[in-house]
Amino acid sequence: MVVATGFFDGVHTGHRELINELVSMASERHTDSLVITFWPHPRIVLHPDEHFPGLLTSLEERRAKLLEYGVDRVEVIEFTKEFSSLTASGFIDEYVRRKFGADALVMGYDNRLGCDLKGSEEIRSAFAGCSPEILIAGRKDSDGMAISSTRIRRALSEGNIEQASAMLGYDYTIGGVVVHGQKLGRKLGFPTANLEMDEPLKVIPAHGAYYVKVRVCGEEYGGMCNVGVRPTVGGSCPVIEAHLFGFDREIYGEKIEISFVRRIRGEKKFSGLEELKRQLEMDKKLCIFGK
């Protein structure tokens, strides 16, 4: 068994280097690849009173992505305060070696393990000549900065969707169930699907209008999505609502996935519904024709 361990939020392109190394090593050794991950996020357990920056993937999305990229097994360990007291050596001995019987551990170049925060180089030195074998993997992107979940969250919060997607290796997606809204979009000729998120801790992109792709009932549609409080109609709570191009069906209660492709504009308060409608018509042209 060859193991990698970490939270892997987003399963982004930096993670992919480690995952590819894991899968390759397991294949060479004719054994299974395993990812050990955790839930909930350590910051929620260790710093419950601090602001949590949000998740890029739900647990289910994370598991699906890891399996999609060739991992044979994904095991989830409950992250508790007791678990957090394990040292790096204690975790490797108890879980990597004994529980899962691994003979190799693949680590990212900037990984740290255990309550003693041992780095990958320190761990490799400590286990030199011993089992499990420690291999360090990972890369940096073209501007010399490490690809990280933190950078991706920041890009999303600033509306830099294309930058976030480049680091993720796929379009950032939010899934959930369609719920009833005020039906204002229908009155304007732009009916929308209002999303109730499956994972409320996921990062919501910066307020504004976006070109999106929406999966519903096994099919994909282009569309535009508004993220924000809808200041023109006196809104105060953030909503995520998508208008699907060429789609006219009732889908209340259906699960949908909204993938963000690019940001069209920021959120704006208009003088009234007529000006808002004209803007929505321009937004649609921007989505379809790109100009």
Side-chain angles (χ1 to χ4, degrees):
M1 182 79 70
V2 183
V3 169
T5 184
F7 197 79
F8 295 108
D9 190 23
V11 197
H12 54 63
T13 55
H15 294 144
R16 213 89 38 90
E17 293 293 311
L18 188 149
I19 297 304
N20 290 342
E21 192 71 42
L22 167 70
V23 172
S24 176
M25 282 189 65
S27 177
E28 290 173 3
R29 299 177 184 221
H30 305 288
T31 188
D32 286 343
S33 56
L34 166 68
V35 165
I36 303 171
T37 191
F38 317 103
W39 189 261
H41 194 285
R43 285 184 64 169
I44 295 174
V45 175
L46 300 178
H47 307 286
D49 297 327
E50 294 182 5
H51 168 71
F52 181 65
L55 297 169
L56 299 173
T57 43
S58 66
L59 178 59
E60 293 74 19
E61 289 170 330
R62 193 153 31 109
R63 189 196 303 271
K65 282 289 181 188
L66 290 166
L67 294 175
E68 177 185 340
Y69 297 141
V71 174
D72 294 307
R73 290 173 53 194
V74 178
E75 295 287 344
V76 181
I77 295 175
E78 182 182 5
F79 194 93
T80 63
K81 287 187 176 180
E82 181 181 8
F83 176 79
S84 73
S85 67
L86 280 174
T87 63
S89 293
F91 171 77
I92 292 172
D93 284 337
E94 184 173 340
Y95 288 92
V96 177
R97 179 185 288 155
R98 296 177 187 173
K99 184 175 178 66
F100 297 111
D103 55 16
L105 172 66
V106 185
M107 295 187 67
Y109 69 94
D110 60 349
N111 278 176
R112 291 189 176 276
L113 282 182
C115 64
D116 47 354
L117 297 176
K118 292 291 186 182
S120 51
E121 290 288 357
E122 292 177 285
I123 293 172
R124 182 163 65 177
S125 296
F127 282 83
C130 305
S131 180
E133 177 186 354
I134 308 297
L135 178 69
I136 299 174
R139 74 176 182 91
K140 296 187 177 182
D141 62 5
S142 58
D143 67 5
M145 295 179 66
I147 296 172
S148 69
S149 301
T150 298
R151 285 189 67 203
I152 297 169
R153 292 187 196 102
R154 184 181 303 117
L156 290 170
S157 69
E158 295 172 351
N160 296 326
I161 293 299
E162 289 162 292
Q163 182 187 75
S165 296
M167 289 188 282
L168 283 168
Y170 57 88
D171 291 333
Y172 183 66
T173 301
I174 295 178
V177 175
V178 178
V179 297
H180 289 274
Q182 294 179 326
K183 299 182 173 60
L184 180 62
R186 188 174 298 278
K187 296 176 184 177
L188 297 173
F190 291 88
T192 59
N194 288 54
L195 184 74
E196 183 178 276
M197 296 167 59
D198 284 337
E199 175 49 77
L201 291 178
K202 283 200 70 167
V203 174
I204 298 176
H207 290 184
Y210 295 85
Y211 171 50
V212 297
K213 294 180 181 178
V214 182
R215 287 198 61 82
V216 56
C217 301
E219 299 179 345
E220 185 176 87
Y221 297 85
M224 58 187 189
C225 179
N226 177 70
V227 177
V229 299
R230 301 180 296 178
T232 304
V233 294
S236 58
C237 296
V239 297
I240 302 172
E241 50 185 357
H243 171 71
L244 284 61
F245 302 148
F247 185 89
D248 187 21
R249 287 158 50 190
E250 294 287 353
I251 51 173
Y252 295 117
E254 294 284 352
K255 290 184 69 69
I256 66 170
E257 294 180 344
I258 301 175
S259 297
F260 293 81
V261 180
R262 68 176 183 273
R263 194 178 192 218
I264 303 302
R265 60 173 172 83
E267 186 171 48
K268 179 182 176 182
K269 182 176 181 179
F270 298 96
S271 61
L273 296 183
E274 283 304 315
E275 186 184 9
L276 172 58
K277 183 177 181 180
R278 287 195 296 271
Q279 182 64 59
L280 292 174
E281 290 167 349
M282 288 190 286
D283 290 345
K284 184 174 182 179
K285 290 179 181 178
L286 283 170
C287 288
I288 295 175
F289 301 111
K291 58 182 180 180

